Structure formats: structure tokens, C-alpha cells
Amino acid sequence: MPPACRWGILGTANIARKNWKGIRLSGNGVVAAVASRTPERARQFIAECQSEVPFEQVPTPVGYDELLASTDVDAVYVPLPTGVRKEWVLKAAAAGKHVLCEKPCGADAAEVKAMVDACRAAGVQFMDGVMFMHSARLPLLRKVLDDADAVGELRRVTSQFSFAADAGFLGGNIRVSGALEPLGALGDLGWYNLRFALWVMKFQLPEAVVGRVLNEYATDGRPVPLEFAGELFFPGGVTGSFYCSFRTELQQWAHVSGTKGAVTVEDFVLPYHGAESAFVVQRPHFRVRGTSFQMESHPTRYAAAEASDGREDAQETNMARRFGELVLGGKPDASWPEMALKTQLVLDACLKSARDGGRAVGITG
């Protein structure tokens, strides 16, 4: 039997259920242990996940420190709240555990740099949990963007990621807690907007950004963004914009504009349910013939064959498999922590701009 990456899940957040399944389907990983603040909660989480997607050997319920001390765990997935994440990532690195970290990785870039540096010093892998980075759609999209005849020279990248939270969400969800999730919608949703823009730009940082908090909310005296908009100014004249919100109905679209055409991705974060992930290249023509003024649509649809979720080829499974390969291969890939740190740097600058009345804030890597 081939070797497997032995995972520990550090926390029982709901998103961990999806990654439990991704690990199970990866073909190179097993969940060895699950940690929670109480043994009862860890046992309940394990029982519920095992009933749907079972491992041959039932994972062990443990406490946080016990999980990190375990010799049966190679890597930890950390879905703990952002406000306490740094402490446990640093402890995991000190214990020699590879770290898959939920996003936003930290409250600010200083925290993320500390995590990245600790993992580098310990010789372990650090990666953030952005699943779409592992979709089969991205290589196809990159090929189209690099095709000079498809989109032409890049000019603009825009995106929106939002959902309309109900009163119950605002009353009790940790994503509006200033202590636990100080970045609010900007951290929870805007991380994806910024990651997509940076990916399109091949991780070239913007020279400057402008941000606006359009709406905020406080449950504990520390307001967090509920709705945020930002502008990105890249070298060479390429610009970007993004909008993220807990106040607008579910949307997750991205648009890339060039001198010859444009690309629209309707579901850049979570592929719509089905067996493929797609995007459309539009190269419209405007024709004038006497009194006739015609705008013609000339779309080309591209699709990558992959399950939207919960299958061996879904993006969350690909993420678990890729991380497992890095762990088993023994050679950490420095590009993943670099992507996470750059995303946090841009996010920080956007929030700094917003807190300073929308003043443009420069970025240096």
C-alpha cells in the first residue's frame, strides 16, 4: 500500500467537513485525528463525517496540543478563527507539522509573515486553503489569457463575491466578530477576489490600491467590513476592481478585459454544480452599415472536465492531493506561502486605504 499523508484537523469548523471528504478522496491522505476544545465535540464531528465519508480507521478525537504532539500526524489543516490562527500555526510548525491554513491566513501581513517564516525554518509546507487554485479550469484559462489572439493585451480585472446574510448570521456568526474575524467580508470573501486578480497578473503586486468600507457591523465593539470595494493599480497600466459583501445576494463572477476580447467566469470560487467548470471568451463586433448599428456577440465557450465538488477530480480533492504530494515528497514548494503573503499584503493595503478615507496606498513586496 503506498504511503499516505496523515492529517490532523485542528478545529471542527463547518468547512472542515468539506476538506475531510477531499482528504478521503485524494488517494494519498487519511485523517488520523481531529482536535476540538472539548472531546465531545471532536467525537461528534468524527461520527458525523464517518457516517457519510468513512475512513477505514476511525480518526482519534484529541485536544489541540495533543494533536500537535502526535507522532501519527504529518500535516494539520487549520480552520480555526483568524483571531487565534497565528498561535496554532506557529505551534504546528514548531512541532514539525506541515500546515494547510484557512483564509484569511492572519489578521495582517505581519502575522502571515511570522507563520511563513516559522514553516520555512521548520522545513514544512505552508499553503492557504484557496480551493479554486487547484481547479483544472485555471491552466485552461491561463492558456487563453496568454494567447495574444484571444484577449489581447490585458487591461482590466474585475470580480464580485457576495452573499446576503440573514439576521441570524449577523447575530451570531463569527465572521462578524471583531475579535475572531477582524477582517469581516474583506477577509472571508475579498481574499478570493484578490487572489484571482493576483493570479491573472502572475502574482505581480499592484503599485497602489484604494479601498472603501461601504458598510460595517459590530457585535463586540469592534466593527468589521460587511461590504467592501477596492481598486488595484498594477504596473504597465493594468487596473482591477473588486466588490465583496455579506449584504448582496450570492454572486461569484470575474471578468478579464483586454484589447481584443474579454473573459467571463460566472463561478470563479465555487464551480456551479455539474461535471465541468467553464468560462466564456467574448469578442463582440460593432458594425455600422448606413442606418443600421449592430452589436454582434461572438462568444467561445471553454470548459474543463471536472466535478464541481465531492469527487476525486473536484478542486478541494485536488488541493488535498497536491498538499499530500508535497508532504510525502519532502520538498516544500515556496510559491504557495509567497502567494498567501502577497494576498495578505494587498488586503492590508486595501483596508488601510479604507480606514484612511480612501487614500491611495502604495505596496512594496
Side-chain angles (χ1 to χ4, degrees), residues 160-162 250-254 265-272:
Q160 174 171 330
F161 190 19
S162 63
L250 182 60
Q251 295 183 64
Q252 47 165 346
W253 57 263
V265 187
E266 294 185 349
D267 54 351
F268 80 97
V269 180
L270 299 169
Y272 286 137

Side-chain angles (χ1 to χ4, degrees), residues 152-166:
E153 293 183 35
L154 191 62
R155 288 289 183 264
R156 182 127 176 115
V157 185
T158 62
S159 66
Q160 174 171 330
F161 190 19
S162 63
F163 66 87
D166 59 19

Side-chain angles (χ1 to χ4, degrees), residues 8 35 44 86 113 199 216 263 345-347 355:
Q44 180 182 0
K86 174 190 172 185
K113 187 176 186 305
W199 178 84
E216 60 186 6
V263 174
L345 283 168
V346 179
L347 188 152
R355 297 301 189 206

